[in-house]
Amino acid sequence: MRFYVLTLFPDMVLDGLHTSIIGRALQAGHLSIEAVNIRDYSANKHQKVDDYPYGGGAGMLMQAQPVYDAFRSVTERIGRKPRCIYLTPQGKTFHQGMAKELALEEELIFLCGHYEGIDERVLEEIVTDYVSIGDYVLTGGELPAMVMIDAISRMVPGVLSNEASGSSESFEDCLLEYPQYSRPEEWMGKKVPEILLSGHHKNIEAWRREQSKLRTKERRPDLWEQYLREHPEL
Ligand code: ADE
């Protein structure tokens, strides 16, 4: 998977993602990330990329031309037009299913806005997907792009060393993950549930499934309702 991030803060994106599991996957060549500095495409001698909004109002807007030229620098070089995701609180809310679907793409472009947003005309021209990471407002699209790249990358084959860990986790089949325990067997007077020490794999699997359901019902009643809708036999 190749990611291209159009941003005014390339270091923020690259520094954050060249760490831990995603950093290793980049080194191993399972992923690549290129940050394109929109400021490099300013036609202004002071490298300005923002201006006042027509009609008045608070703050500044990113202008269409540098954003468009940064986008074109990628699409002309690679000879294709990948999906272009604009990070905005006005988008569809990101979720695990979307991460899985996007992981099937070979290339993705992320457009990160700053200030009060971006001139609508360039969005109409280049954006294919409007995505939000939740109902709150951040100062820019970089953190949301990094969140999405992390979640999508985990779904790319080879990125997680343990293939199974991508599927037996929270949100698989609308359920949250079951509780897990490691050594020691007793800590602060709390014992690891007996069944996990039994070595009886079938019973352990059934116990974990039950724990997943209990946990989902208690912590995410909205997800539990969805689970029940998708399993009418229960
Ligand atoms: N930009 C600012 N806030 C955002 C959010 N919640 N999701 C995506 N992009 C954003």
Side-chain angles (χ1 to χ4, degrees), residues 86-92 111 113 115 131-145 148:
Y86 177 47
L87 291 313
T88 166
Q90 299 179 10
K92 252 195 218 154
L111 171 59
Y115 314 115
V131 182
S132 164
I133 62 160
D135 287 342
Y136 41 83
V137 181
L138 300 165
T139 54
E142 284 74 15
L143 287 171
M148 285 187 68

Side-chain angles (χ1 to χ4, degrees), residues 19-20 100 106-107 112 144 194 202 209 211 216-217:
T19 308
S20 185
K100 276 192 184 168
E106 277 182 25
E107 289 157 327
C112 305
E194 202 69 47
K202 268 232 134 45
R209 184 96 187 145
Q211 291 294 313
T216 309
K217 219 186 280 190

Side-chain angles (χ1 to χ4, degrees), residues 110-122:
F110 290 87
L111 171 59
C112 305
H114 245 270
Y115 314 115
E116 289 306 307
I118 302 183
D119 189 307
E120 192 69 20
R121 293 167 295 182
V122 68

Side-chain angles (χ1 to χ4, degrees), residues 23-179:
R24 256 179 276 137
L26 286 165
Q27 293 249 305
H30 299 300
L31 312 167
S32 73
I33 301 178
E34 192 183 314
V36 178
N37 192 342
I38 295 170
R39 200 174 292 285
D40 290 347
Y41 295 86
S42 168
N44 178 282
K45 68 172 177 227
H46 304 294
Q47 290 203 295
K48 207 168 83 84
V49 291
D50 60 331
D51 212 329
Y52 296 99
Y54 281 116
M60 305 286 268
L61 277 187
M62 282 167 71
Q63 292 169 285
Q65 173 269 318
V67 171
Y68 188 63
D69 289 354
F71 173 80
R72 289 281 297 260
S73 79
V74 174
T75 57
E76 281 177 8
R77 177 156 44 88
I78 67 177
R80 288 177 296 280
K81 268 195 189 167
R83 282 165 80 171
C84 177
I85 299 167
Y86 177 47
L87 291 313
T88 166
Q90 299 179 10
K92 252 195 218 154
T93 308
F94 188 53
H95 57 80
Q96 190 65 31
M98 219 190 273
K100 276 192 184 168
E101 186 232 321
L102 290 169
L104 302 174
E105 301 285 329
E106 277 182 25
E107 289 157 327
L108 289 170
I109 299 180
F110 290 87
L111 171 59
C112 305
H114 245 270
Y115 314 115
E116 289 306 307
I118 302 183
D119 189 307
E120 192 69 20
R121 293 167 295 182
V122 68
L123 300 178
E124 288 170 8
E125 204 57 42
I126 70 173
V127 173
T128 57
D129 302 75
Y130 293 81
V131 182
S132 164
I133 62 160
D135 287 342
Y136 41 83
V137 181
L138 300 165
T139 54
E142 284 74 15
L143 287 171
M146 290 161 72
V147 165
M148 285 187 68
I149 289 170
D150 188 291
I152 294 165
S153 296
R154 296 178 70 259
M155 297 293 113
V156 171
V159 171
L160 299 183
S161 46
N162 175 6
E163 282 292 333
S165 61
S167 62
S168 70
E169 60 189 0
S170 291
F171 304 114
E172 270 309 311
D173 196 20
C174 289
L175 292 177
L176 300 180
E177 197 182 12
Y178 47 77

